[in-house]
Amino acid sequence: MQQDAPKINLFLLGEPSVGKTSLFLTWKNPADTFAEFYLPTVSHDFHQQPYEASGKQYELNIYDASGMENYIYMYKPNLEKADGVIVMFDVTNKESFTKALKWVQLAKETAKSGTEYLLVGSKTDLEGERQVKREEAEEFAKTHGFN
């Protein structure tokens, strides 16, 4: 990794068990196979990797933040440096979608101006168990200024 490569700090936020760690581990090691169960993340996990966009090299720093509220204080200082925030919810769990607003508010109160936001619904392969319609999520994203 280039020493002088600009850093991009990306945070994964959301309730426990919405799939943040699964997405994080996919970035960390794309060759790994999907695991049905994960241990809960305590505070946050961190991964750094090179990233290229438009012919320019970057250092991508990915933070998998715990969904447990009692750990927010531990990763909040890093969240202040976020360039991007992915707020995740589980499409089979309506409560996780409802609580996504809490994570959006935390990020917008803490992260620097100009931070980009993305809303991600996980577990879309479980269509028969879906509790959150795509249209609901799209409206939520639009209402809260997601790109």
Side-chain angles (χ1 to χ4, degrees):
M1 195 173 320
Q2 282 182 269
Q3 292 290 352
D4 58 346
K7 291 177 174 54
I8 298 174
N9 296 303
L10 178 63
F11 263 81
L12 304 175
L13 296 178
E15 289 297 293
S17 302
V18 296
K20 298 181 304 294
T21 298
S22 182
L23 180 59
F24 174 79
L25 292 175
T26 299
W27 267 312
K28 194 171 178 177
N29 189 359
D32 275 355
T33 57
F34 173 75
E36 190 73 27
F37 300 101
Y38 295 97
L39 292 174
T41 302
V42 176
S43 178
H44 66 276
D45 201 354
F46 174 78
H47 174 65
Q48 187 177 71
Q49 70 183 50
Y51 177 75
E52 184 179 333
S54 302
K56 189 169 181 180
Q57 285 295 123
Y58 296 91
E59 178 183 296
L60 183 59
N61 299 320
I62 307 167
Y63 296 84
D64 174 17
S66 173
M68 294 180 269
E69 289 188 42
N70 50 330
Y71 292 110
I72 290 172
Y73 77 94
M74 294 177 83
Y75 58 77
K76 202 170 180 181
N78 290 321
L79 183 56
E80 293 172 355
K81 301 181 288 187
D83 297 297
V85 174
I86 296 176
V87 176
M88 293 187 69
F89 68 95
D90 172 355
V91 300
T92 69
N93 181 332
K94 183 74 170 191
E95 185 178 2
S96 75
F97 177 67
T98 303
K99 290 185 175 182
L101 180 57
K102 167 183 78 176
W103 297 103
V104 171
Q105 290 170 335
L106 171 69
K108 290 194 173 191
E109 290 167 3
T110 308
K112 65 186 177 187
S113 175
T115 298
E116 296 288 333
Y117 296 89
L118 180 67
L119 182 67
V120 173
S122 64
K123 306 180 187 180
T124 57
D125 57 315
L126 304 174
E127 190 59 41
E129 299 173 40
R130 181 182 279 269
Q131 296 178 7
V132 180
K133 294 180 183 168
R134 180 184 182 107
E135 295 77 21
E136 283 179 275
E138 288 173 350
E139 184 60 32
F140 178 94
K142 183 178 174 185
T143 300
H144 298 289
F146 284 68
N147 296 330

